[in-house]
Amino acid sequence: MSHSIYFNLLIHSDKFSVYRAVSEPEHLANWWPLKCTGIPKEGEKYNFNFTDDYDWYAEVKSVKHGEHIHYKMTKSDADWDPTTFGFDLEEKDNGIYLQFFHKDWVESNTNFKHSSFCWAMLLKGLKDYLEKGIIVPFKDRE
């Protein structure tokens, strides 16, 4: 049995701004990792660098410009390596409905629970980044 994290939130922004924020390295680094490289194209590699000890990699498993991007972890830690996470975007009258998932966790252990909490905090940071232009300094992100 695998475990999954799901969050849905409404972001008062346009679809392409939200898509860029979850797919383009220069925007990802404004709300999630310290540094990031990658190209939003299926099969491409992303580097999510948090520290020298947390220098992680993923591959783009599925992408449709302006609609979704899904990443499969390829080099991280034992808990994250089997996982896939992604962002699906749906246009609504008052913004973009972002559906986030992080699935295929082998155990519902401390790392899973901590990651779930962190994703909630980070997605709030993504919302504030897009709606208010707020960039939380990396050292202050959960």
Side-chain angles (χ1 to χ4, degrees), residues 44-114:
E44 290 290 328
K45 302 285 186 225
Y46 270 69
N47 174 221
F48 301 109
N49 178 277
F50 304 94
T51 66
D52 289 342
D53 292 332
Y54 294 92
D55 189 24
W56 291 1
Y57 291 84
E59 179 182 326
V60 178
K61 292 310 281 182
S62 179
V63 63
K64 184 174 180 188
H65 186 75
E67 303 289 329
H68 75 266
I69 188 162
H70 302 165
Y71 301 92
K72 166 69 179 85
M73 294 307 297
T74 57
K75 180 182 174 235
S76 52
D77 68 20
D79 289 320
W80 277 62
D81 269 351
T83 68
T84 301
F85 68 94
F87 306 87
D88 296 311
L89 312 179
E90 184 182 334
E91 231 162 344
K92 296 284 187 184
D93 289 341
N94 52 349
I96 301 304
Y97 190 61
L98 183 139
Q99 298 167 73
F100 170 83
F101 69 86
H102 192 168
K103 61 185 183 179
D104 302 322
W105 288 80
V106 176
E107 294 183 71
S108 176
N109 59 13
T110 301
N111 196 2
F112 169 81
K113 293 169 186 173
H114 178 73

Coordinates of all heavy atoms in Angstrom, one line a residue, residues 44-114:
E44 N 12.9 15.5 -19.5 CA 14.0 16.4 -19.0 C 14.2 16.2 -17.5 O 13.3 15.9 -16.8 CB 13.6 17.8 -19.3 CG 13.7 18.2 -20.8 CD 15.1 18.2 -21.4 OE1 16.0 18.5 -20.7 OE2 15.2 17.9 -22.6
K45 N 15.4 16.5 -17.1 CA 15.8 16.4 -15.7 C 15.7 17.8 -15.0 O 16.1 18.8 -15.6 CB 17.3 15.9 -15.6 CG 17.5 14.5 -16.2 CD 17.0 13.4 -15.4 CE 17.4 12.1 -16.0 NZ 16.3 11.1 -16.1
Y46 N 15.3 17.7 -13.8 CA 15.3 18.9 -12.9 C 16.2 18.7 -11.7 O 16.3 17.6 -11.2 CB 13.9 19.2 -12.4 CG 13.1 20.1 -13.3 CD1 12.6 19.7 -14.5 CD2 12.8 21.4 -12.9 CE1 11.9 20.5 -15.3 CE2 12.0 22.2 -13.7 CZ 11.6 21.8 -14.9 OH 10.8 22.6 -15.7
N47 N 16.9 19.7 -11.3 CA 17.7 19.7 -10.1 C 17.1 20.6 -9.1 O 16.9 21.8 -9.4 CB 19.2 20.1 -10.4 CG 20.0 20.3 -9.1 OD1 20.8 21.2 -9.0 ND2 19.9 19.3 -8.2
F48 N 16.7 20.1 -8.0 CA 16.1 20.9 -6.9 C 17.2 20.9 -5.8 O 17.3 19.9 -5.1 CB 14.8 20.2 -6.4 CG 13.7 20.1 -7.4 CD1 13.4 18.9 -7.9 CD2 13.1 21.2 -7.9 CE1 12.4 18.8 -8.9 CE2 12.1 21.1 -8.9 CZ 11.7 19.9 -9.4
N49 N 17.9 22.0 -5.7 CA 18.9 22.1 -4.7 C 18.5 22.9 -3.5 O 18.1 24.0 -3.6 CB 20.2 22.8 -5.3 CG 21.3 22.9 -4.3 OD1 21.3 23.9 -3.5 ND2 22.2 22.0 -4.3
F50 N 18.5 22.2 -2.3 CA 18.1 22.8 -1.1 C 19.3 23.2 -0.2 O 19.4 24.2 0.4 CB 17.1 21.9 -0.3 CG 15.9 21.5 -1.1 CD1 15.9 20.4 -1.8 CD2 14.8 22.4 -1.2 CE1 14.8 20.0 -2.6 CE2 13.7 22.0 -1.9 CZ 13.7 20.8 -2.7
T51 N 20.3 22.3 -0.2 CA 21.6 22.4 0.5 C 22.5 21.4 -0.2 O 22.1 20.6 -1.1 CB 21.5 22.1 2.0 OG1 21.3 20.7 2.1 CG2 20.5 22.9 2.7
D52 N 23.8 21.4 0.1 CA 24.7 20.5 -0.4 C 24.3 19.0 -0.1 O 24.4 18.1 -0.9 CB 26.1 20.7 0.1 CG 26.7 22.0 -0.5 OD1 26.2 22.5 -1.5 OD2 27.7 22.5 0.1
D53 N 23.7 18.8 1.1 CA 23.2 17.5 1.5 C 21.9 17.1 0.8 O 21.5 16.0 0.8 CB 23.1 17.4 3.0 CG 24.4 17.5 3.7 OD1 25.5 17.1 3.1 OD2 24.5 17.9 4.8
Y54 N 21.1 18.1 0.4 CA 19.8 17.9 -0.2 C 19.8 18.5 -1.6 O 19.2 19.5 -1.9 CB 18.7 18.5 0.6 CG 18.5 17.8 2.0 CD1 19.2 18.3 3.1 CD2 17.7 16.7 2.1 CE1 19.1 17.6 4.3 CE2 17.6 16.0 3.3 CZ 18.3 16.5 4.4 OH 18.2 15.8 5.6
D55 N 20.6 17.8 -2.5 CA 20.7 18.2 -3.9 C 20.0 17.1 -4.7 O 20.6 16.1 -5.1 CB 22.2 18.3 -4.2 CG 22.5 18.9 -5.6 OD1 21.6 19.7 -6.1 OD2 23.5 18.6 -6.1
W56 N 18.7 17.3 -4.9 CA 17.9 16.3 -5.5 C 17.5 16.5 -6.9 O 17.6 17.6 -7.5 CB 16.6 16.2 -4.7 CG 16.8 15.8 -3.2 CD1 18.0 15.4 -2.7 CD2 15.8 15.6 -2.2 NE1 17.7 15.0 -1.4 CE2 16.4 15.1 -1.1 CE3 14.4 15.9 -2.2 CZ2 15.7 14.9 0.1 CZ3 13.7 15.6 -1.1 CH2 14.4 15.1 0.1
Y57 N 17.2 15.4 -7.6 CA 16.9 15.3 -9.0 C 15.5 14.6 -9.3 O 15.1 13.7 -8.5 CB 18.0 14.6 -9.8 CG 19.3 15.4 -9.8 CD1 20.2 15.3 -8.7 CD2 19.6 16.2 -10.9 CE1 21.3 16.0 -8.7 CE2 20.7 17.0 -10.9 CZ 21.6 16.9 -9.8 OH 22.8 17.6 -9.8
A58 N 14.9 15.1 -10.3 CA 13.6 14.5 -10.8 C 13.6 14.6 -12.3 O 14.4 15.3 -12.9 CB 12.4 15.3 -10.2
E59 N 12.7 13.8 -12.9 CA 12.5 13.8 -14.3 C 11.0 14.2 -14.6 O 10.1 13.8 -13.8 CB 12.7 12.4 -14.8 CG 12.4 12.2 -16.3 CD 12.6 10.8 -16.8 OE1 13.5 10.1 -16.3 OE2 11.9 10.4 -17.8
V60 N 10.8 15.0 -15.6 CA 9.5 15.4 -16.0 C 8.8 14.1 -16.6 O 9.2 13.6 -17.6 CB 9.5 16.6 -17.0 CG1 8.0 16.9 -17.4 CG2 10.1 17.8 -16.4
K61 N 7.7 13.7 -16.0 CA 7.0 12.5 -16.4 C 5.9 12.8 -17.4 O 5.6 12.1 -18.3 CB 6.5 11.7 -15.3 CG 7.5 11.0 -14.4 CD 8.5 10.2 -15.2 CE 8.1 8.9 -15.7 NZ 9.1 8.1 -16.4
S62 N 5.3 14.0 -17.2 CA 4.2 14.4 -18.0 C 4.1 15.9 -17.9 O 4.2 16.5 -16.8 CB 2.9 13.8 -17.5 OG 1.8 14.2 -18.3
V63 N 3.8 16.6 -19.0 CA 3.7 18.0 -19.0 C 2.8 18.4 -20.2 O 2.8 17.8 -21.3 CB 5.1 18.7 -19.1 CG1 5.8 18.4 -20.4 CG2 5.0 20.2 -18.9
K64 N 2.0 19.4 -19.9 CA 1.2 20.1 -21.0 C 1.2 21.5 -20.6 O 0.7 21.9 -19.6 CB -0.2 19.5 -21.1 CG -1.0 20.1 -22.2 CD -2.3 19.5 -22.4 CE -3.1 20.1 -23.6 NZ -4.4 19.7 -23.7
H65 N 1.8 22.3 -21.5 CA 2.0 23.8 -21.2 C 0.7 24.4 -20.8 O -0.3 24.3 -21.5 CB 2.5 24.5 -22.5 CG 2.9 25.9 -22.2 ND1 4.0 26.3 -21.5 CD2 2.2 27.0 -22.5 CE1 4.0 27.6 -21.4 NE2 3.0 28.1 -22.0
G66 N 0.7 25.1 -19.6 CA -0.4 25.8 -19.1 C -1.5 24.9 -18.4 O -2.4 25.4 -17.8
E67 N -1.3 23.5 -18.4 CA -2.3 22.6 -17.9 C -1.7 21.8 -16.7 O -2.4 21.7 -15.7 CB -2.7 21.6 -19.0 CG -3.3 22.3 -20.2 CD -4.6 22.9 -20.0 OE1 -5.4 22.4 -19.2 OE2 -4.9 23.9 -20.7
H68 N -0.5 21.2 -16.8 CA 0.0 20.4 -15.7 C 1.5 20.1 -15.9 O 2.0 20.3 -17.1 CB -0.8 19.1 -15.6 CG -0.4 18.1 -16.7 ND1 -1.1 18.0 -17.9 CD2 0.6 17.2 -16.8 CE1 -0.6 17.0 -18.6 NE2 0.5 16.5 -18.0
I69 N 2.1 19.8 -14.8 CA 3.5 19.2 -14.9 C 3.6 18.2 -13.7 O 3.1 18.5 -12.6 CB 4.6 20.3 -14.8 CG1 6.0 19.7 -15.1 CG2 4.5 21.1 -13.5 CD1 7.0 20.7 -15.5
H70 N 4.2 17.0 -14.0 CA 4.3 16.0 -13.0 C 5.8 15.6 -13.1 O 6.4 15.4 -14.1 CB 3.5 14.8 -13.4 CG 2.0 15.1 -13.5 ND1 1.1 14.2 -14.0 CD2 1.3 16.1 -13.1 CE1 -0.1 14.7 -14.0 NE2 0.0 15.9 -13.4
Y71 N 6.4 15.5 -11.9 CA 7.8 15.1 -11.7 C 7.9 13.8 -11.0 O 7.3 13.5 -10.0 CB 8.5 16.2 -10.8 CG 8.4 17.6 -11.3 CD1 7.4 18.5 -10.9 CD2 9.4 18.1 -12.1 CE1 7.4 19.8 -11.3 CE2 9.4 19.4 -12.5 CZ 8.4 20.2 -12.1 OH 8.4 21.6 -12.5
K72 N 8.8 12.9 -11.5 CA 9.2 11.7 -10.8 C 10.6 11.9 -10.2 O 11.5 12.2 -10.9 CB 9.2 10.5 -11.8 CG 9.9 9.2 -11.3 CD 9.1 8.6 -10.2 CE 9.7 7.3 -9.8 NZ 10.7 7.4 -8.7
M73 N 10.7 11.7 -8.9 CA 12.0 11.8 -8.2 C 12.9 10.7 -8.7 O 12.5 9.6 -8.9 CB 11.8 11.7 -6.7 CG 11.0 12.8 -6.1 SD 11.6 14.5 -6.5 CE 13.2 14.5 -5.7
T74 N 14.2 11.1 -8.9 CA 15.2 10.1 -9.4 C 16.4 10.0 -8.5 O 17.0 9.0 -8.5 CB 15.6 10.5 -10.8 OG1 16.2 11.8 -10.8 CG2 14.5 10.4 -11.8
K75 N 16.7 11.1 -7.8 CA 17.8 11.0 -6.9 C 17.5 12.0 -5.7 O 17.6 13.2 -5.9 CB 19.1 11.5 -7.6 CG 20.3 11.5 -6.6 CD 21.6 11.9 -7.4 CE 22.7 12.0 -6.4 NZ 23.3 13.4 -6.3
S76 N 17.1 11.4 -4.6 CA 16.8 12.2 -3.4 C 17.1 11.4 -2.2 O 18.3 11.2 -1.9 CB 15.3 12.6 -3.5 OG 14.5 11.5 -3.6
D77 N 16.1 11.0 -1.4 CA 16.4 10.1 -0.3 C 15.5 8.8 -0.4 O 14.7 8.8 -1.3 CB 16.3 10.8 1.0 CG 14.9 11.2 1.4 OD1 13.9 10.6 0.8 OD2 14.7 12.1 2.2
A78 N 15.7 7.9 0.4 CA 15.0 6.6 0.3 C 13.5 6.8 0.4 O 12.7 6.0 -0.3 CB 15.4 5.7 1.5
D79 N 13.0 7.8 1.1 CA 11.5 8.0 1.2 C 11.0 8.7 -0.1 O 9.9 8.4 -0.6 CB 11.2 8.8 2.4 CG 11.3 8.0 3.7 OD1 11.0 6.8 3.7 OD2 11.8 8.6 4.7
W80 N 11.7 9.7 -0.6 CA 11.3 10.5 -1.7 C 11.5 9.8 -3.1 O 10.7 10.0 -4.0 CB 11.9 11.8 -1.8 CG 11.3 12.9 -0.9 CD1 11.2 12.9 0.5 CD2 10.8 14.1 -1.3 NE1 10.6 14.0 0.9 CE2 10.3 14.8 -0.2 CE3 10.6 14.7 -2.5 CZ2 9.7 16.0 -0.2 CZ3 10.0 16.0 -2.6 CH2 9.5 16.6 -1.4
D81 N 12.5 9.0 -3.2 CA 12.9 8.4 -4.5 C 11.7 7.6 -5.2 O 11.6 7.8 -6.4 CB 14.1 7.4 -4.4 CG 15.4 8.2 -4.6 OD1 15.4 9.3 -5.0 OD2 16.5 7.5 -4.4
P82 N 10.9 6.9 -4.5 CA 9.8 6.2 -5.3 C 8.7 7.1 -5.7 O 7.7 6.7 -6.3 CB 9.3 5.1 -4.3 CG 10.2 5.2 -3.1 CD 10.9 6.5 -3.1
T83 N 8.7 8.4 -5.3 CA 7.5 9.2 -5.4 C 7.5 10.1 -6.7 O 8.5 10.3 -7.3 CB 7.4 10.2 -4.2 OG1 8.5 11.2 -4.2 CG2 7.4 9.4 -2.8
T84 N 6.2 10.5 -6.9 CA 5.9 11.4 -8.0 C 5.1 12.5 -7.5 O 4.2 12.2 -6.7 CB 5.1 10.6 -9.2 OG1 5.9 9.6 -9.6 CG2 4.8 11.6 -10.3
F85 N 5.3 13.7 -7.9 CA 4.5 14.9 -7.5 C 4.2 15.7 -8.7 O 4.8 15.7 -9.7 CB 5.2 15.7 -6.3 CG 6.4 16.5 -6.8 CD1 6.3 17.8 -7.2 CD2 7.6 15.9 -6.7 CE1 7.4 18.5 -7.5 CE2 8.8 16.6 -7.1 CZ 8.6 17.9 -7.5
G86 N 3.1 16.5 -8.5 CA 2.7 17.3 -9.7 C 1.6 18.3 -9.4 O 1.1 18.3 -8.3
F87 N 1.4 19.1 -10.4 CA 0.5 20.2 -10.3 C -0.4 20.2 -11.5 O 0.1 20.2 -12.6 CB 1.3 21.5 -10.3 CG 2.4 21.6 -9.3 CD1 3.6 21.1 -9.5 CD2 2.1 22.2 -8.0 CE1 4.6 21.2 -8.6 CE2 3.1 22.3 -7.1 CZ 4.4 21.8 -7.3
D88 N -1.7 20.1 -11.3 CA -2.7 20.2 -12.3 C -3.5 21.5 -12.2 O -3.9 21.8 -11.0 CB -3.7 19.0 -12.2 CG -3.0 17.7 -12.5 OD1 -2.2 17.5 -13.4 OD2 -3.1 16.7 -11.6
L89 N -3.7 22.2 -13.3 CA -4.3 23.5 -13.2 C -5.6 23.5 -13.9 O -5.8 23.0 -15.0 CB -3.4 24.6 -13.9 CG -1.9 24.6 -13.4 CD1 -1.2 25.6 -14.2 CD2 -1.8 24.7 -11.9
E90 N -6.6 24.1 -13.3 CA -7.9 24.2 -13.9 C -8.4 25.7 -13.8 O -8.4 26.2 -12.7 CB -8.9 23.3 -13.2 CG -10.3 23.2 -13.7 CD -11.2 22.3 -12.9 OE1 -10.6 21.3 -12.3 OE2 -12.4 22.5 -12.9
E91 N -8.8 26.2 -14.9 CA -9.3 27.6 -14.9 C -10.7 27.7 -14.3 O -11.6 26.9 -14.6 CB -9.3 28.2 -16.3 CG -8.6 29.4 -16.5 CD -8.3 29.8 -17.9 OE1 -8.3 28.9 -18.8 OE2 -7.9 31.0 -18.1
K92 N -10.8 28.7 -13.4 CA -12.1 29.0 -12.7 C -12.4 30.4 -13.0 O -11.5 31.2 -13.4 CB -12.1 28.7 -11.2 CG -11.8 27.2 -10.9 CD -13.1 26.4 -11.1 CE -12.9 25.0 -10.5 NZ -14.0 24.1 -10.8
D93 N -13.7 30.9 -12.7 CA -14.0 32.3 -12.9 C -13.2 33.2 -12.1 O -12.9 34.3 -12.6 CB -15.5 32.5 -12.6 CG -16.4 31.8 -13.6 OD1 -16.0 31.5 -14.7 OD2 -17.6 31.6 -13.2
N94 N -12.8 32.8 -10.9 CA -12.1 33.7 -10.0 C -10.6 33.3 -9.8 O -10.0 33.7 -8.8 CB -12.8 33.8 -8.7 CG -13.1 32.4 -8.1 OD1 -12.9 31.4 -8.8 ND2 -13.5 32.3 -6.8
G95 N -10.0 32.6 -10.7 CA -8.6 32.2 -10.6 C -8.3 30.8 -11.1 O -9.1 30.3 -11.9
I96 N -7.3 30.3 -10.6 CA -6.8 29.0 -11.1 C -6.9 28.0 -9.9 O -6.4 28.2 -8.8 CB -5.3 29.0 -11.6 CG1 -5.2 30.0 -12.7 CG2 -4.8 27.6 -11.9 CD1 -6.1 29.7 -13.9
Y97 N -7.6 26.9 -10.1 CA -7.7 25.8 -9.1 C -6.5 24.9 -9.3 O -6.4 24.2 -10.3 CB -9.0 25.1 -9.4 CG -9.4 24.1 -8.3 CD1 -9.6 24.6 -7.0 CD2 -9.6 22.8 -8.6 CE1 -10.0 23.7 -6.0 CE2 -10.0 21.9 -7.6 CZ -10.2 22.3 -6.3 OH -10.6 21.5 -5.3
L98 N -5.6 24.9 -8.4 CA -4.4 24.1 -8.4 C -4.6 22.8 -7.6 O -5.0 22.9 -6.5 CB -3.2 24.9 -7.8 CG -1.9 24.1 -7.9 CD1 -0.8 25.1 -8.3 CD2 -1.5 23.5 -6.6
Q99 N -4.4 21.7 -8.3 CA -4.6 20.4 -7.6 C -3.2 19.8 -7.5 O -2.6 19.5 -8.6 CB -5.5 19.5 -8.4 CG -6.9 20.1 -8.5 CD -7.8 19.4 -9.5 OE1 -8.2 18.3 -9.3 NE2 -8.0 20.1 -10.6
F100 N -2.7 19.7 -6.3 CA -1.3 19.2 -6.1 C -1.4 17.7 -5.6 O -2.3 17.4 -4.8 CB -0.7 20.0 -5.0 CG 0.6 19.4 -4.5 CD1 1.8 19.6 -5.2 CD2 0.7 18.7 -3.3 CE1 3.0 19.0 -4.8 CE2 1.8 18.1 -2.9 CZ 3.0 18.3 -3.6
F101 N -0.5 16.9 -6.0 CA -0.4 15.6 -5.5 C 1.1 15.2 -5.3 O 1.9 15.7 -6.0 CB -1.1 14.5 -6.4 CG -0.3 14.3 -7.7 CD1 0.7 13.4 -7.8 CD2 -0.7 15.0 -8.8 CE1 1.4 13.2 -9.0 CE2 -0.1 14.8 -10.0 CZ 1.0 13.9 -10.1
H102 N 1.3 14.4 -4.3 CA 2.7 13.8 -4.1 C 2.4 12.3 -3.6 O 2.0 12.1 -2.5 CB 3.4 14.5 -3.0 CG 4.9 14.2 -3.0 ND1 5.8 14.9 -2.2 CD2 5.6 13.2 -3.5 CE1 7.0 14.4 -2.4 NE2 6.9 13.3 -3.1
K103 N 2.5 11.4 -4.6 CA 2.1 10.0 -4.3 C 3.2 9.0 -4.4 O 4.3 9.3 -4.7 CB 1.0 9.7 -5.3 CG 1.4 9.7 -6.8 CD 0.2 9.5 -7.7 CE 0.7 9.4 -9.1 NZ -0.3 9.2 -10.1
D104 N 2.9 7.8 -4.1 CA 3.8 6.6 -4.1 C 4.7 6.6 -2.9 O 5.8 6.0 -3.0 CB 4.5 6.5 -5.4 CG 3.5 6.3 -6.6 OD1 2.5 5.7 -6.4 OD2 3.8 6.9 -7.6
W105 N 4.4 7.2 -1.8 CA 5.2 7.1 -0.6 C 5.0 5.6 -0.1 O 3.9 5.1 0.1 CB 4.7 8.0 0.5 CG 5.0 9.4 0.2 CD1 4.3 10.3 -0.7 CD2 6.1 10.2 0.7 NE1 4.9 11.5 -0.7 CE2 6.0 11.5 0.2 CE3 7.1 9.9 1.6 CZ2 6.9 12.5 0.5 CZ3 8.0 10.9 2.0 CH2 7.9 12.2 1.4
V106 N 6.1 5.0 0.2 CA 6.1 3.6 0.7 C 5.6 3.5 2.1 O 4.8 2.6 2.4 CB 7.5 3.0 0.6 CG1 7.5 1.5 1.2 CG2 8.0 2.9 -0.9
E107 N 5.9 4.5 3.0 CA 5.5 4.4 4.4 C 4.9 5.7 4.8 O 5.3 6.8 4.3 CB 6.7 4.2 5.3 CG 7.4 2.9 5.1 CD 8.5 2.8 6.1 OE1 8.2 2.6 7.3 OE2 9.7 2.8 5.7
S108 N 3.9 5.7 5.7 CA 3.4 6.9 6.4 C 4.2 7.1 7.6 O 3.7 7.0 8.7 CB 1.9 6.6 6.7 OG 1.4 7.7 7.4
N109 N 5.5 7.4 7.4 CA 6.5 7.6 8.5 C 6.6 9.1 8.8 O 5.9 10.0 8.3 CB 7.8 7.0 8.1 CG 8.4 7.5 6.9 OD1 8.0 8.6 6.4 ND2 9.4 6.8 6.3
T110 N 7.6 9.4 9.7 CA 7.9 10.8 10.1 C 8.2 11.7 8.9 O 7.7 12.8 8.8 CB 9.0 10.8 11.1 OG1 8.6 10.0 12.2 CG2 9.3 12.2 11.6
N111 N 9.0 11.2 7.9 CA 9.3 12.0 6.7 C 8.1 12.3 5.9 O 7.9 13.4 5.4 CB 10.4 11.2 5.9 CG 11.1 12.1 4.9 OD1 10.8 13.3 4.8 ND2 12.0 11.6 4.1
F112 N 7.2 11.3 5.7 CA 6.0 11.5 5.0 C 5.1 12.6 5.7 O 4.6 13.5 5.0 CB 5.2 10.2 4.9 CG 3.8 10.4 4.4 CD1 3.5 10.5 3.0 CD2 2.7 10.4 5.3 CE1 2.2 10.6 2.6 CE2 1.4 10.6 4.8 CZ 1.1 10.7 3.5
K113 N 5.0 12.5 7.0 CA 4.2 13.5 7.7 C 4.8 14.9 7.7 O 4.1 15.9 7.5 CB 4.0 13.0 9.1 CG 3.1 11.7 9.2 CD 3.1 11.1 10.5 CE 2.4 9.8 10.5 NZ 2.5 9.0 11.7
H114 N 6.1 14.9 7.8 CA 6.8 16.2 7.8 C 6.7 16.8 6.4 O 6.4 18.0 6.2 CB 8.3 16.0 8.2 CG 9.1 17.3 8.1 ND1 8.9 18.3 9.0 CD2 10.0 17.7 7.2 CE1 9.7 19.3 8.7 NE2 10.4 19.0 7.6

